[in-house]
Amino acid sequence: MGRFTGEPVSFMNSNITGGFWKQRQDLFRAVTVDALYDRFKETGRFEAMKMNWREGMPYKPHIFWESDVTKWIEGAAYFLQKKRDPELEARVDELVSYMARTQEDNGYLNAYFTVVEPEARFTRRTDHELYCAGHLIEGAIAYAEATGKKAMLEVAVKYADLIDRVFRVEHSAAFDTPGHEEIELALMKLYDYTKEERYRLLAEYFINTRGTSERDETYDFTDQEHMQSHKPVRMQNTAEGHCVRALYLYSGMADLARSTKEEKLGDICRQLFENITERRMYITGGVGSTYRGESFTFDYDLPEYTAYNETCASIALALFCRRMWLMDADSRYADCAERALYNTALSGVSLSGDEFFYENPVSVNPGRNAFNESRPDGLKEHLPILKRVKSFDCSCCPPNLLRMVGSIADYMYSVSGNIIYAHCYMEAETELMLSDGPVRLKQMTAYPYEGDVTIITETEGRYTIAARIPGWCRKYDILVNGCKAEFRLEKGYACVERDWKAGDSLQLKYSMETRLAEANPKVIDACGRAAVMYGPCVLCAEGMDHADRPLKDIRIDRGVQFEKRMEALEGISVPVFYGKAFVRRPFDGLYTEHPAEEEEIPLRLIPYFAWANRGITEMTTWFLVH
Amino acid sequence: MGRFTGEPVSFMNSNITGGFWKQRQDLFRAVTVDALYDRFKETGRFEAMKMNWREGMPYKPHIFWESDVTKWIEGAAYFLQKKRDPELEARVDELVSYMARTQEDNGYLNAYFTVVEPEARFTRRTDHELYCAGHLIEGAIAYAEATGKKAMLEVAVKYADLIDRVFRVEHSAAFDTPGHEEIELALMKLYDYTKEERYRLLAEYFINTRGTSERDETYDFTDQEHMQSHKPVRMQNTAEGHCVRALYLYSGMADLARSTKEEKLGDICRQLFENITERRMYITGGVGSTYRGESFTFDYDLPEYTAYNETCASIALALFCRRMWLMDADSRYADCAERALYNTALSGVSLSGDEFFYENPVSVNPGRNAFNESRPDGLKEHLPILKRVKSFDCSCCPPNLLRMVGSIADYMYSVSGNIIYAHCYMEAETELMLSDGPVRLKQMTAYPYEGDVTIITETEGRYTIAARIPGWCRKYDILVNGCKAEFRLEKGYACVERDWKAGDSLQLKYSMETRLAEANPKVIDACGRAAVMYGPCVLCAEGMDHADRPLKDIRIDRGVQFEKRMEALEGISVPVFYGKAFVRRPFDGLYTEHPAEEEEIPLRLIPYFAWANRGITEMTTWFLVH
Ligand SMILES: [Zn+2]
Ligand SMILES: [Zn+2]
């Protein structure tokens, strides 16, 4: 396709009908939607929206609580979009009624800055005011699209108009750009939805002003890099600072570049993608090498045990990838999105759907956590937790997962003229619009556990289906109606252009086998080690499956063969991989000059996202390899 | 020997005449003694002793400054003991005159608690008051022994008597035992020197009361474990808390056990030694797995990059070992002392003698330090520095090194009846006292760079020379006058009992070759890796010698052969080891599923203690091994 010619195909165009994501969506609808509602209710997030709080009362509004609520509404809306539900809508409508009631005449709406610090409105860049506004906008659009109800959208638009006037037109706020980015991509979404130019202009204003304003403060404890305002965005070609902020910003920049077709901004987005994926990303698609500032660090710095890898950051990375493939259909973007979605993002939620990780380390050492817990506060270090929990004080990740799972079909397709790009594979029925008119497709697959994908078209016509050949795939066949198909290979997509008949099948046979991956020699934690991958999934070992032998001592042969068996883990069927490995025979004492003999042990690997569902135990993703 | 029958042979009985330690002593006498004096003078440590400070003036006394000064005096005294020097003595005498002038009539002497917080005397356990008193006592004894001048000793005795009265007799202090141990071993030394029973009783009181007093506070940020007062000492069989405090305490406990011949306390000391050396000690003889509390952590927790390994802690470990071999002549104690002395302790000082490390990590990553330095304060982490510095605010280590080098011959011998134990080998002439009378010995060796040791006796008589067979030695010959000697092997000592004639030679031929050592599989940082050792020295690689190829990716074969060459490093001759190793060919990007080919590179190793003498560079001690 030509650059900047991609058009998204929304999850609204697809119905997930089976397979991996159907199971997840059913679980999230049955469990997660309500679990988060209950959790937010009991922690006072809804009560705070009524803005009745006065000093001395419980439920004092927090600067980012509203974003939790509006993200929950957005996620709920994605499920309502597929199936209306009066009870769930009543819950949303009640929350919307609080917004309508508490919004000021000029459009302002923020509980914290109304009841706690009214004098500080639009004066403190660091305090998530515009971030909350961004999530309000996204939630409002989603709810309007799902239900046709416009009350929340009216609130959001009125607030967006105030922000536009205060920031872009009058410059009457005390700062110029958001401390926590998010509103940029939300405004681009609002522009797409309303076609009102001023929202695009406001997004552009925020993006272009970033890193140029002397009025833009940062936290005392950090620096402008933390919030990507150390330089103008077009001079930023390495990913710095807080990962979630960074990736929301880059997503907004990619939206803007596609909208304005600006080569320079598009190039910067690509450089940032390269820097992240070729220098600063864990093999699990996680980003954030340190909890300090929840941030990127430096090239090749990917410590195992202290990886931060916030769930939100991987979700945001997937959002960024999806925007990148609209600018430039290169399969690396979908490879990266899958890496993030199937590993770190999904690791953020338990198989039961109601417990969550904020951080997603790639190895854990329960001995260190136990010691740390025994320490007095003054000697404690920050360590990732070992068991998912039902809620966090900072609860950004759980509703972000709700949004992601609800709208997962967003990652399936894009179009450009008469080309259909099939990016991430899921079982679904889709109707999408090409230059020549609508096309209906049906996709069947057991992805990511099996590599076969069948796409049946129900629409006759000459068009191209450009099917992504996953980066992990070494051997594949592309068949049309059972016969080897002719195709052009373009940046990782097998482009099959033909006169399709209704009922024609495109079969993608991607040979899915376990593979070993190694990191660059500069990644000091992974030298001498390999990760085991299956399709887009990184596999991991848990201590409880290995008689608590030290997992870091497990060595595999390069030629190791695994047997895959589908097994139930907490009631969910996941692939489990059995192979053989070696560990040194245990010995007492600390050092020996007589190398301990190795003994063979059975190795049992599960997908990384499924770790920590059976209690606290050691876990690792990197194995010694000869 | 029977348990508890060992008697120390002081460094005062030996003159170092050549070899490794002669070079160090000459350097320390020429450079370090004066360098520390100058540094302490310019930082106001001497001025503060005059106790003229008033609010608003510079050189406000610090709670541990006096210990720096008295440790420097002690170290200087060890050199004066070998060669008087009026100029150096004048400097000491002036400092002693401040003490005599400022000591109160009742004996009290502490600058901080006199001029800054006089109302807080003997009320704050955490503030190093008794620790300073301990170092005053040690310095005073050393200076009296070296010069015969008693002024400092009189000050120390007067203060010790006050402490005895206040703590042991009247219990009129607000706490019962020192927050930072040290005075226990100092009091045992004062008892040995004066034969005054009350000092032993006071040491015993402090040791026995520890962990039993409700009046003993700790810091807000930590707990009683930090200062080894979480339980009575006879119930402590794992090494916990601040390493230097712990090892000074254990040394005092060992002194007491030997003095009282108490089996229980002796057993506890041995259990603590076992716990340290078989569970919690770096291969370099360093202890302190975390900077948090400068402390021991938990079994097998030995992280490479964040190892604390304070220089003082390894010196204290050697002090403890020397006491252990007096209780029980087992060669493991001298093995451990050598490990600490030749690696972490000596790593604390530059080859030039005037720059110092406080922390001694076993691997460093300059990229991480550079990134960290670029961070705002709120996002910085604690990392070991990469280049030794001339002074520290907390300057305990440099004068401790001065004491250690000045009195290094303390580690050579002990006696028991008519047995001479030769523990650590150094070139020296010694006169020591057996039951049957004095014996003069001459020892010649290039240890630790060569394994041959020749001991010539100048004294006729029937006695036993029990020569330690180093734990690292796999092959050895013991010759008397050139012929294979008969000997009994007892706990790692080759005991040669015979009628010695003057001029007889005992030759110890310890085959010294590079060896590979591996850590227990539970040491997660060292799995799949080996350290390279030569005699008691751990070897390390520096980045600058390997074209800055990533050191953690260096792999050696188990059968690797090294060629040793003596080379000048900053003017000091050290052994350098050349072998071959393998690294993966560099590649761009982060992950690959096509394993990078290995290429052979020349490996250049130097003794660990000599690292960081040629500028900032990567360093490691653990290599991948197949
Ligand atoms: Zn989050
Ligand atoms: Zn120190």
Side-chain angles (χ1 to χ4, degrees), chain B residues 71 131 244 248 294 308 310-313 315 357-359 392 394-400:
Chain B
K71 274 157 75 181
Y131 169 84
V244 176
Y248 283 165
E294 309 179 303
Y308 196 70
E310 184 180 338
T311 307
C312 283
I315 295 173
F357 273 143
Y358 190 98
E359 296 171 55
F392 298 92
C394 177
S395 204
C396 47
C397 305
N400 228 349

Side-chain angles (χ1 to χ4, degrees), chain B residues 256-315:
Chain B
L256 182 65
R258 187 168 65 92
S259 172
T260 59
K261 306 198 188 309
E262 183 195 331
E263 293 285 347
K264 171 72 186 168
L265 193 58
D267 286 346
I268 287 291
C269 289
R270 200 177 53 228
Q271 287 172 43
L272 289 166
F273 176 86
E274 296 280 338
N275 179 251
I276 293 168
T277 56
E278 301 297 314
R279 295 288 184 274
R280 302 183 178 195
M281 184 184 79
Y282 285 86
I283 195 161
T284 54
V287 285
S289 298
T290 176
Y291 79 91
R292 292 178 188 83
E294 309 179 303
S295 69
F296 292 104
T297 57
F298 56 98
D299 289 351
Y300 305 110
D301 179 47
L302 298 163
E304 282 180 280
Y305 290 91
T306 55
Y308 196 70
N309 289 356
E310 184 180 338
T311 307
C312 283
S314 283
I315 295 173

Side-chain angles (χ1 to χ4, degrees), chain A residues 525-575:
Chain A
D525 280 51
C527 287
R529 296 184 178 273
V532 187
M533 315 272 305
Y534 182 74
C537 294
V538 176
L539 306 182
C540 72
E542 291 196 307
M544 56 176 52
D545 293 327
H546 300 90
D548 286 318
R549 298 295 285 267
L551 297 184
K552 297 316 288 184
D553 203 47
I554 291 179
R555 183 183 72 70
I556 51 179
D557 282 330
R558 278 199 200 288
V560 60
Q561 297 289 321
F562 289 95
E563 186 195 341
K564 173 186 153 208
R565 294 185 216 150
M566 295 302 292
E567 292 184 16
L569 209 71
E570 296 297 289
I572 305 273
S573 178
V574 299

Side-chain angles (χ1 to χ4, degrees), chain A residues 412-455:
Chain A
M412 293 189 71
Y413 297 107
S414 68
V415 297
S416 174
N418 281 322
I419 309 172
I420 299 163
Y421 287 94
H423 303 287
C424 299
Y425 299 110
M426 311 176 193
E427 188 147 308
E429 296 175 354
T430 303
E431 177 164 339
L432 45 75
M433 183 61 70
L434 297 181
S435 303
D436 293 349
V439 170
R440 290 184 59 85
L441 300 171
K442 197 169 160 180
Q443 193 175 129
M444 283 157 299
T445 184
Y447 203 89
Y449 297 154
E450 283 172 34
D452 285 5
V453 179
T454 301
I455 298 174

Side-chain angles (χ1 to χ4, degrees), chain A residues 116-179:
Chain A
V116 184
E117 283 198 274
E119 71 290 357
R121 283 180 187 188
F122 292 147
T123 67
R124 258 208 319 273
R125 182 181 185 232
T126 52
D127 282 353
H128 295 61
E129 212 170 6
L130 296 175
Y131 168 84
C132 287
H135 280 303
L136 171 67
I137 293 167
E138 287 203 275
I141 295 169
Y143 195 58
E145 292 202 302
T147 63
K149 296 178 186 174
K150 302 281 188 185
M152 185 174 172
L153 187 67
E154 281 160 17
V155 167
V157 162
K158 193 169 169 186
Y159 191 17
D161 290 344
L162 172 69
I163 293 167
D164 184 46
R165 180 164 60 74
V166 166
F167 283 84
R168 185 175 64 91
V169 180
E170 295 177 355
H171 305 284
S172 55
F175 61 95
D176 293 305
T177 73

Side-chain angles (χ1 to χ4, degrees), chain B residues 221-241:
Chain B
F221 67 91
T222 180
D223 58 5
Q224 293 286 358
E225 263 184 20
H226 180 71
M227 26 189 86
Q228 299 76 44
S229 37
H230 52 303
K231 34 176 131 157
V233 298
R234 287 173 187 74
M235 294 174 67
Q236 296 187 27
N237 47 17
T238 58
E240 307 293 349

Side-chain angles (χ1 to χ4, degrees), chain A residues 176-243:
Chain A
D176 293 305
T177 73
H180 194 314
E181 303 94 318
E182 205 284 330
I183 197 170
E184 299 85 350
L185 74 86
L187 287 165
M188 290 304 296
K189 209 179 248 190
L190 188 58
Y191 163 66
D192 282 342
Y193 185 71
T194 63
K195 306 300 174 204
E196 291 282 358
E197 182 72 4
R198 68 179 176 282
Y199 302 127
R200 192 182 62 73
L201 290 175
L202 179 56
E204 192 168 33
Y205 171 79
F206 281 142
I207 288 170
N208 290 356
T209 307
R210 189 157 212 93
T212 71
S213 161
E214 298 202 346
R215 305 199 305 162
D216 278 353
E217 64 182 352
T218 184
Y219 298 112
D220 294 341
F221 67 91
T222 180
D223 58 6
Q224 292 288 356
E225 264 186 18
H226 180 71
M227 26 188 86
Q228 299 78 42
S229 39
H230 53 303
K231 33 175 131 157
V233 298
R234 286 173 188 75
M235 296 174 64
Q236 296 187 27
N237 48 17
T238 57
E240 307 293 349
H242 187 272
C243 295

